[in-house]
């Protein structure tokens, strides 16, 4: 990949390895291979041996026996790897199973170490995420100019997806841009169900749950477009949701509790008259995956730290169908949160 080696990432990982006395990491998740080597695999059957001292080794499908047989003392493995990982094909994530690590029966679980390292972004990582956000916003502007009532939700999704892949990959600073979308309109708006052939509604929001991956780094947004004049009931709901959203963004300051972030979003939605909502998480990390640690949850711990990028996504959904969600990615700085997308959350 054309991006230069990012030594700031590698030095942070090695410092964390020294703290827990790990001699090497052996990783197989495509996002962790990307993080440690800058190699974004096509199928996911690649691995990286990352020593605390010396050069990392990328093992591809036809790895040399000499590289594969290298030995270390105490080795860290991704034993508690999560359920989401993405290779370059994006729609077909592939990883070796835990049994692949039977060669290291005494290996330590290094997944928490990698999560801690990845939570704080380097300048290069931020540059790639800004590019992903730019591509997503450009595609939303394309949709806004071309969306018409009566189009199918799937056709609206194709407008966005085609622009991401075609125009995003055409950029001089991107090797490959890929998108993923879920699109619902009017009463079809739910939390997470499939995009269908429902028609786009006039005077009601059409909601785009969208991800862009640019050279292995992601953005995760939810944006809305309304063909026509927004109906008063949606207008009122958007005001309520944006007020909750603003309080959540104000909370993104170094040292703030992640549990409190979840609590204040849900309390604000309850005050608006919608107790128990939403059913989905309201804040999570973004980086080499669209969803990665840290996660904000009242039963969890952790704090907001400078250099994190967090997706904030409050949503309110009506039982009879319809509702709204807003979402963007925010870089935590010493002075507060910086929104990464130029596309507005208030779409009126």
């Amino acid at each position: 990949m054309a991006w230069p080696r990012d030594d700031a990432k590698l030095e942070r990982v090695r410092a964390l390895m020294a703290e827990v006395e790990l001699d090497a990491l052996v990783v197989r998740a495509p996002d962790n291979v990307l993080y440690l080597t800058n190699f974004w695999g096509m199928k996911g059957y690649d691995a990286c041996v990352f020593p605390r001292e010396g050069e990392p080794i990328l093992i591809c499908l036809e790895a040399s026996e000499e590289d594969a047989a290298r030995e270390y003392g105490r080795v860290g493995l991704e034993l508690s790897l999560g359920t989401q990982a993405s290779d370059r094909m994006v729609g077909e994530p592939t990883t070796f199973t835990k049994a692949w690590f039977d060669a290291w029966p005494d290996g330590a679980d290094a997944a928490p170490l990698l999560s801690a390292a990845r939570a704080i972004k380097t300048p290069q990582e931020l540059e790639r995420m800004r590019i992903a956000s730019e591509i997503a916003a450009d595609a939303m502007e394309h949709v806004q100019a071309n969306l018409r009532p009566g189009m199918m939700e799937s056709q609206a999704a194709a407008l966005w997806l085609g622009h991401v892949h075609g125009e995003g990959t055409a950029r001089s600073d991107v090797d490959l841009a890929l998108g993923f979308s879920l699109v619902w309109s009017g009463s079809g708006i739910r939390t997470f169900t499939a995009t269908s052939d429902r028609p786009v509604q006039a005077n009601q929001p059409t909601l785009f749950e969208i991800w862009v991956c640019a050279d292995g780094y992601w953005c995760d947004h939810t944006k809305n477009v309304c063909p026509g004049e927004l109906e008063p009931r949606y207008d009122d709901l958007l005001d309520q949701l944006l007020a909750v959203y603003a309080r959540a963004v104000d909370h993104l300051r170094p040292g703030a509790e992640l549990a409190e972030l979840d609590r204040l979003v849900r309390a604000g939605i309850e005050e608006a008259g919608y107790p128990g909502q939403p059913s989905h998480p309201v804040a999570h990390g973004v980086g080499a995956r669209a969803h990665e640690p840290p996660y904000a949850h009242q039963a969890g711990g952790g704090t907001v730290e400078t250099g994190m990028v967090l997706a904030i996504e409050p949503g309110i959904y009506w039982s009879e169908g319809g509702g709204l969600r807003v979402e963007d990615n925010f870089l935590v700085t010493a002075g507060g949160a910086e929104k990464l997308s130029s596309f507005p959350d208030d779409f009126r």
Side-chain angles (χ1 to χ4, degrees), residues 303-322:
T303 57
V304 176
E305 303 297 341
T306 302
M308 287 181 174
V309 176
L310 296 171
I312 306 297
E313 52 178 318
I316 295 173
Y317 311 96
W318 295 324
S319 58
E320 68 275 16

Side-chain angles (χ1 to χ4, degrees), residues 72-220:
Y72 298 95
R74 189 160 185 254
V75 175
L77 314 173
E78 308 154 301
L79 299 181
S80 58
L81 177 69
T83 58
Q84 290 178 303
S86 183
D87 54 36
R88 204 172 190 186
M89 293 181 70
V90 177
E92 203 172 42
T94 309
T95 61
F96 292 105
T97 64
K98 180 178 177 294
W100 187 76
F101 291 123
D102 286 345
W104 297 279
D106 299 322
D109 182 11
L113 181 152
L114 287 163
S115 293
R118 286 172 49 173
I120 309 300
K121 306 310 188 231
T122 66
Q124 186 192 106
E125 290 181 286
L126 290 171
E127 182 181 358
R128 294 161 81 160
M129 296 176 73
R130 290 183 194 279
I131 289 171
S133 291
E134 288 173 8
I135 294 170
D138 288 345
M140 282 306 304
E141 290 175 4
H142 175 71
V143 167
Q144 193 170 44
N146 292 279
L147 189 70
R148 300 290 183 268
M151 295 175 68
M152 292 187 297
E153 292 174 349
S154 57
Q155 291 172 323
L159 272 177
W160 184 86
L161 286 163
H163 198 278
V164 166
H165 189 39
E167 299 304 315
T169 303
R171 290 174 57 129
S172 61
D173 54 0
V174 172
D175 287 339
L176 177 65
L178 295 171
F180 174 82
S181 68
L182 293 170
V183 177
W184 312 285
S185 189
S187 62
I189 294 175
R190 299 287 194 277
T191 50
F192 294 95
T193 56
T195 298
S196 76
D197 60 356
R198 288 183 295 261
V200 168
Q201 300 297 306
N203 306 316
Q204 296 181 17
T206 295
L207 185 152
F208 286 72
E209 166 68 41
I210 50 177
W211 306 348
V212 169
C213 190
D215 293 345
Y217 274 79
W218 295 77
C219 69
D220 177 9

